[in-house]
Structure formats: structure tokens, C-alpha cells
């Protein structure tokens, strides 16, 4: 089959080549991939010393061709959106049945490839903040994949959402997704917030932390800035009271949460926030756009377009 394979020697360490079709384990279904998405982490932070020929990729949507041998999961022909720690960027993937959700006919199947890592991360991170109804919540990197879902999900949970972006242009569309305010970096925040979802790291994490209400939390999701964070805790002792920073790693299996998100999308409550969509042979263009902050939301690459 055709696949995007890891190759240290080429741009983005990715080459469209040939690879053996996956062999599913007993609790895995075999999927014909319709589309997959790129996440910043797997494009910008993929370790160079993976074996050449490894197929990366976390998120893919497609159709079940062979159901799991252990009887779990949906039958052949089912439309599904899937997650796994590799193998998504190919014509076929094998996936654990605990890591997929059914996609109703009313949704564009390929578009749901935007959901797994970015939207589940946003959902889990927002839930870490507890009850945010009526509270003020900051989202940094709000222009990106996790950010656009976090803005929407915090708004749906009843929060007053402050979206932080790198430039006015990057803030386009965020008010429509539920942001009450769009600011250029957390240093520009007026007043304090109950919680923050930080996708950028570096100085922005420190700035968000220093603007928490008493007992507030920053969930430190990402480091898109690639910068480490320096916090002067002596200064922090004066400026914030019992505030905390929580590290975050996406929790799996995530099939249940993925199904919730598909449900929201089906009801028209959640926008899939696709900012780049094209054929997967354009993978270099998509990867360039993503790492250079030109994708407003998710990048989705079609392997097979629906007829
Ligand atoms: N912990 C976990 O389990 C987990 C799960 C998912 C994602 N993540 C991490 O969370 C972060 C966000 O992921 P994502 O998929 O939402 O990424 P994304 O779509 O690329 O969005 C990242 C946002 O960060 C901002 N940014 C600031 N400085 C940047 C820089 N130097 N380079 C690139 N972007 C920069 C950009 O907004 P502006 O252009 O508006 O500044 C961009 O929209 C990444 O670091 C990712 O690795 C972690």
C-alpha cells in the first residue's frame, strides 16, 4: 500500500512511499483510510531516529474492512474515526477498537479526522479545570488545532473564554467559535482567569500562571513555541495565591470521548475547525503550513475522497 513513511533525509522527515499493509492484532480492526490529520506534535516534534519506513500518524477516519477478530468493535463497512500511536498516514491502518468512534452518515467522514488528538486533548484539558460555568478561562494558541476546540468546549461548558493568539489575523473566526475576547498573548490579559489551557509554553505559560485567580489552574498542554518556561516563584508568591500548573498528557483509550465529540459535531454544536484540507500527496505543503503557523485550526489530508 501507499503510505507516508518516516525518512530522516527528506523535508519534514516524510516521504510518500510503499509499505506493507498492517496486520491487525486480535482487538484491532483494519480500516481503509479516507483521510488523516496532522498534529503539531507529530510533525514538529517527531524524533529523528525512528526506523526509516515507520508509518507515523495518530488520527485517521475511514471504513472498517476487517472487524476485530475478538468480536469487539463495529462490523465491516462501518464509518469510523480512529486514534493510535502510529500508522494513520497510510491507505490502511490497524486500530484498537477502544480507540475509535462511529461516524454517522450525516457527517463528512474525512473531516472527522480532525478530531482525535486535538479535540480529545481539548476536552480532557477543559475537564481538568473542573466546573467552569460562569468562570473566565484563557486559551493560549487559540488559533491552532487544540486551541480552536478548547475555545468551543470551554464556551459550551459555560465559561467566558479569552482566546490568546499571535496576531490579529490569527484571531479570525474565534469570536464565532465562542471567544468573548481575543488578545495578543496572555501578557495582554486584563484581570485574572479561573483557569487556562496553555498550548504554547515558554513565556506564555509563565504569563498565564501569573494571571490566575486564587486557587486557579493552568493546564500545560503544549509547547508550540519550543521555548522552555522560566518562572520566578518568589515573584509568583506575591502575585498569585495557591495557583497551580498541571502537566498534561492525553489519556487513552479515548473512544468514549471521541464518540461524545462526534455527537457534538453531528448536532452542529462543534465546528471541526479545519483550516487546511487537500490531497495527501500535498503533505509537504500541509506540514509547512502547520509548522509555520498558517493553519487556522486543523490540517486534514484526504487519501480517498468520498464519491
Ligand atoms: N500533552 C498532550 O497530550 C498534547 C496533546 C495535543 C497537543 N499537544 C501540544 O499542544 C500544542 C498545540 O498543539 P496543536 O495541535 O494545537 O498545534 P497547532 O495547531 O500548531 O497550534 C499551535 C498554536 O501555537 C501558537 N504558537 C506560538 N508560538 C508558536 C511557534 N513558535 N510555532 C508554532 N506555533 C506557535 C500558534 O498560534 P499563533 O500563530 O496564533 O501564535 C499555533 O496556532 C503543541 O505543542 C502540541 O505538541 C500536547
Amino acid at each position: 500500500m501507499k503510505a507516508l513513511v518516516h525518512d530522516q533525509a527528506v523535508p519534514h522527515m516524510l516521504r510518500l512511499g510503499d509499505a506493507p499493509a498492517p496486520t491487525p492484532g486480535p482487538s484491532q480492526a483494519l480500516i481503509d483510510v479516507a483521510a488523516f490529520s496532522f498534529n503539531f506534535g507529530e510533525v514538529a516534534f517527531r524524533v529523528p531516529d525512528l526506523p526509516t519506513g515507520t508509518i507515523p500518524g495518530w488520527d485517521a477516519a475511514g471504513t472498517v474492512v476487517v472487524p476485530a477478530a475478538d468480536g469487539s468493535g463495529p462490523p465491516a463497512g462501518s464509518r469510523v474515526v480512529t486514534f493510535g500511536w502510529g500508522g494513520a498516514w497510510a491507505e490502511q491502518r490497524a486500530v484498537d477498537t477502544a480507540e475509535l468512534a462511529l461516524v454517522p452518515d450525516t457527517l463528512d467522514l474525512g473531516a472527522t479526522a480532525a478530531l482525535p488528538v486535538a479535540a480529545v486533548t481539548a476536552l480532557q484539558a477543559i475537564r481538568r479545570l473542573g466546573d467552569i460555568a460562569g468562570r473566565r478561562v484563557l486559551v493560549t494558541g487559540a488559533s491552532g488545532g487544540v486551541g480552536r476546540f478548547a475555545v468551543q468546549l470551554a464556551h459550551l461548558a459555560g465559561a467566558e473564554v479569552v482566546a490568546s493568539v499571535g496576531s490579529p489575523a490569527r484571531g479570525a473566526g474565534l469570536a464565532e467559535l465562542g471567544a468573548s475576547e481575543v488578545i495578543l498573548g496572555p501578557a495582554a490579559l486584563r484581570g485574572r482567569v479561573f483557569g487556562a489551557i496553555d498550548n504554547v509554553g515558554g513565556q506564555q505559560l509563565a504569563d498565564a500562571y501569573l494571571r490566575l485567580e486564587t486557587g486557579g489552574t493552568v493546564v500545560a498542554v503544549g509547547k508550540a513555541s519550543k521555548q522552555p518556561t522560566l518562572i520566578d516563584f518568589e515573584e509568583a508568591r506575591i502575585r498569585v495565591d495557591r495557583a497551580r500548573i498541571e502537566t498534561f498528557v492525553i489519556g487513552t483509550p479515548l473512544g468514549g470521548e471521541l464518540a461524545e465529540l462526534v455527537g457534538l459535531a453531528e448536532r452542529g454544536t462543534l465546528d471541526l475547525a479545519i483550516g487546511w484540507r487537500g490531497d495527501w500527496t500535498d503533505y509537504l505543503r500541509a506540514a509547512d503550513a502547520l509548522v509555520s503557523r498558517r493553519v487556522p485550526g486543523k490540517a486534514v489530508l484526504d487519501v480517498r475522497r468520498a464519491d
Side-chain angles (χ1 to χ4, degrees), residues 185-278:
L189 188 67
R190 281 173 287 117
R192 292 180 178 266
V193 291
F194 171 75
I197 305 297
D198 175 47
N199 295 302
V200 177
Q203 185 61 40
Q204 297 208 13
L205 172 55
D207 288 341
Y209 174 66
L210 293 172
R211 284 160 180 81
L212 290 174
E213 293 171 5
T214 299
T217 306
V218 181
V219 182
V221 169
K223 191 182 158 190
S225 65
K226 300 187 178 167
Q227 297 299 313
T229 300
L230 179 69
I231 294 178
D232 179 343
F233 279 100
E234 204 49 52
E235 181 194 359
R237 257 186 280 285
I238 299 163
R239 290 185 52 183
V240 289
D241 181 20
R242 280 164 289 154
R244 63 204 168 112
I245 298 175
E246 270 195 34
T247 56
F248 177 89
V249 179
I250 191 170
T252 60
L254 50 72
E257 285 148 323
L258 198 47
E260 285 182 57
L261 292 159
V262 168
L264 291 175
E266 186 189 12
R267 292 193 288 282
T269 314
L270 185 74
D271 185 279
L272 293 174
I274 296 173
W276 191 100
R277 189 160 182 184

Side-chain angles (χ1 to χ4, degrees), residues 39-41 45 117-118 121 141 143-147 164-167 170 199-200 204 220-226 248-250 290-291 293 295 297:
N39 291 284
F40 186 86
F45 294 142
V117 168
T121 292
S143 50
V146 176
S164 169
V165 296
S167 67
R170 295 287 282 161
N199 295 302
V200 177
Q204 297 208 13
V221 169
K223 191 182 158 190
S225 65
K226 300 187 178 167
F248 177 89
V249 179
I250 191 170
L290 185 65
V291 299
R293 302 157 77 171
V295 178

Side-chain angles (χ1 to χ4, degrees), residues 29-33 62-67 74-78 80 91-93:
L30 185 68
I31 311 296
D32 266 351
V33 173
T63 308
V64 176
V65 260
V66 182
S78 303
V80 289
E91 289 180 310
Q92 290 197 321
R93 91 174 304 186

Side-chain angles (χ1 to χ4, degrees), residues 94-118:
V95 67
D96 291 346
T97 53
E99 305 283 16
L100 59 76
L102 288 169
V103 176
D105 290 341
T106 47
L107 283 178
D108 170 349
L109 177 61
T112 64
L115 285 172
V117 168

Side-chain angles (χ1 to χ4, degrees), residues 141-184:
S143 50
V146 176
R148 280 177 187 264
F149 287 123
V151 166
Q152 296 183 74
L153 293 168
H155 173 66
L156 286 173
E160 180 194 330
V161 184
V162 183
S164 169
V165 296
S167 67
R170 295 287 282 161
L174 288 169
E176 291 78 356
L177 296 181
S180 307
E181 204 183 331
V182 178
I183 59 171
L184 302 184

